[in-house]
Amino acid sequence: MAINEYNQQVKVFTLSRKLLKNAILVKQGDDSVTVAFQKTSRDEIREMLENDVVQNNVILLMTHNIKGMCYFHGQCTNVYSGNAPREINAVFTLMQKLETIQRRQDVKVKANYMNIKLSLPFRNMTDVPAELIDISAGGIMFACPSAMLMEKEIVIYHFSSTKISFDIKARILRIQDYLKKVDDTEEEIRCYGCCFEDLKPNEEYAIREFVLYLQREEILRERQKEEYLD
């Protein structure tokens, strides 16, 4: 791995893919990584690493801005105090890259009817409530019960994540009815598929990160569901 190739957030799993703890990337090398576990002790880290069948062996989930989510099989070779109180660093030798979940610009991920806000310039309406159906780096699909919109109409999507917020111009390309599943019932809603326009590089980067975050959460939910059914 090249230096600074991966994002800061790291997830540590058992070999059976059970989440152990979140960590922060401290240092990268060609065949090892150092991560920091915050608000913990050295004994807690040792106990955590010994929970699996093979002692000190884990799966590390690291996120690359281009490659997507990468899973590595790592072996802990050192544990020492970090730079902050109750912060412990752990060095993992990367034994093998297990899989890569590729992120592409046109990948759409479900947003599970996330509540969002829109502005409708053509109608002089602001802070219009809507539900996000799915999102990709190129556009969104949303439901907007309070207004009947038209093809080619411009909407402003007030994008917000944990890191950044900004407004995105989007143009409606298609209108379709969509079956929304709520518990054991289905409700038909009117949805609008849009493409983003005039995206700045930093805005596109933020959307890509958000898409990847939703994709990762969906994969983890599916795996937890499979484990529950097993």
Side-chain angles (χ1 to χ4, degrees), residues 189-220:
I189 56 177
R190 179 62 52 89
C191 294
Y192 304 90
C194 306
C195 68
F196 296 135
E197 294 190 346
D198 304 326
L199 274 180
K200 298 180 179 66
N202 63 314
E203 294 173 345
E204 182 177 353
Y205 177 82
I207 296 169
R208 286 174 179 267
E209 278 199 323
F210 184 63
V211 169
L212 183 57
Y213 164 77
L214 292 179
Q215 185 184 19
R216 182 171 62 242
E217 292 300 305
E218 181 66 23
I219 291 170
L220 293 178

Side-chain angles (χ1 to χ4, degrees), residues 63-213:
T63 304
H64 190 283
N65 289 330
I66 297 175
K67 297 176 183 177
M69 294 180 292
C70 301
Y71 288 87
F72 294 91
H73 175 197
Q75 183 177 35
C76 184
T77 55
N78 191 18
V79 175
Y80 60 94
S81 298
N83 294 325
R86 287 184 56 78
E87 179 179 279
I88 300 298
N89 289 351
V91 180
F92 291 96
T93 300
L94 298 174
M95 310 294 288
Q96 179 184 6
K97 179 181 283 189
L98 300 177
E99 60 179 307
T100 299
I101 302 172
Q102 182 67 37
R103 179 183 56 184
R104 300 173 182 170
Q105 182 171 347
D106 58 354
V107 169
K108 294 181 180 179
V109 293
K110 295 178 182 179
N112 296 311
Y113 312 107
M114 183 183 298
N115 293 325
I116 61 173
K117 294 286 186 180
L118 303 173
S119 289
L120 310 176
F122 181 73
R123 304 162 193 271
N124 294 320
M125 299 173 65
T126 59
D127 290 332
V128 178
E131 292 181 329
L132 189 61
I133 306 301
D134 61 45
I135 184 170
S136 71
I140 58 173
M141 177 178 284
F142 66 87
C144 184
S146 61
M148 293 294 291
L149 309 180
M150 302 179 297
E151 286 188 4
K152 298 185 180 180
E153 185 171 348
I154 293 292
V155 303
I156 306 299
Y157 167 35
H158 304 302
F159 175 84
S160 181
S161 71
T162 57
K163 296 182 179 180
I164 192 171
S165 297
F166 51 85
D167 293 340
I168 311 172
K169 182 191 295 184
R171 185 180 299 275
I172 297 174
L173 298 182
R174 68 184 187 280
I175 301 172
Q176 67 184 74
D177 291 328
Y178 186 87
L179 286 177
K180 177 181 178 180
K181 295 183 179 181
V182 180
D183 297 327
D184 295 329
T185 63
E186 291 184 341
E187 173 189 357
E188 190 172 77
I189 56 177
R190 179 62 52 89
C191 294
Y192 304 90
C194 306
C195 68
F196 296 135
E197 294 190 346
D198 304 326
L199 274 180
K200 298 180 179 66
N202 63 314
E203 294 173 345
E204 182 177 353
Y205 177 82
I207 296 169
R208 286 174 179 267
E209 278 199 323
F210 184 63
V211 169
L212 183 57
Y213 164 77

